[in-house]
Amino acid sequence: MSAKERIKKYRETGGASDLVRVEVLVPKARRDEIVSAAAELRSAHRDEKSRLAEFIRIATERYGLRVFDNIDIEKLNDLPQKVRVVANALMERGDARAYAMGRRMVVQLGNGR
């Protein structure tokens, strides 16, 4: 696989699949502010993704087959899609704690978007 193909794959399905490259013109003296702000945005985005992934992990451990008997979340590409499917399953098929967890997941999705 060539370097160009690896970069393309990384941007389409890897760690940068949900990031976009942006080019802006700013005063030279304020460049560091923009770079710092971009780093903060990336960090917040990664934190959000890890929280969503943790929700899925906990839900799978606690409720497993009881709630996810006919759901294959691995076929979904997008993490927010996976979280939405898991949250809906928890709210529809789980007990009161599962419902509460599903609601927290939906709220977290709403805050991230």
Side-chain angles (χ1 to χ4, degrees), residues 23-94:
E23 184 175 334
V24 296
L25 298 173
V26 296
K28 186 181 266 188
R30 305 210 46 205
R31 177 190 180 277
D32 291 338
E33 290 177 44
I34 298 297
V35 171
S36 176
E40 289 175 17
L41 289 171
R42 284 191 305 272
S43 177
H45 180 71
R46 286 185 192 112
D47 292 344
E48 175 73 17
K49 282 178 68 172
S50 66
R51 275 193 297 277
L52 294 176
E54 183 68 10
F55 269 132
I56 291 174
R57 185 191 65 74
I58 291 170
T60 304
E61 284 178 3
R62 287 185 186 166
Y63 301 102
L65 287 177
R66 183 169 48 138
V67 174
F68 306 118
D69 60 341
N70 64 346
I71 298 172
D72 186 10
I73 61 170
E74 296 304 318
K75 290 187 178 183
L76 298 171
N77 296 331
D78 192 16
L79 184 61
Q81 282 180 332
K82 289 179 183 182
V83 171
R84 193 165 309 283
V85 167
V86 169
N88 287 337
L90 288 171
M91 290 188 294
E92 290 175 8
R93 301 180 188 162

Side-chain angles (χ1 to χ4, degrees), residues 5-19:
E5 290 170 339
R6 273 196 320 273
I7 291 170
K8 183 179 178 186
K9 183 178 178 184
Y10 176 73
R11 288 183 179 159
E12 290 175 356
T13 60
S17 63
D18 51 354
L19 300 175

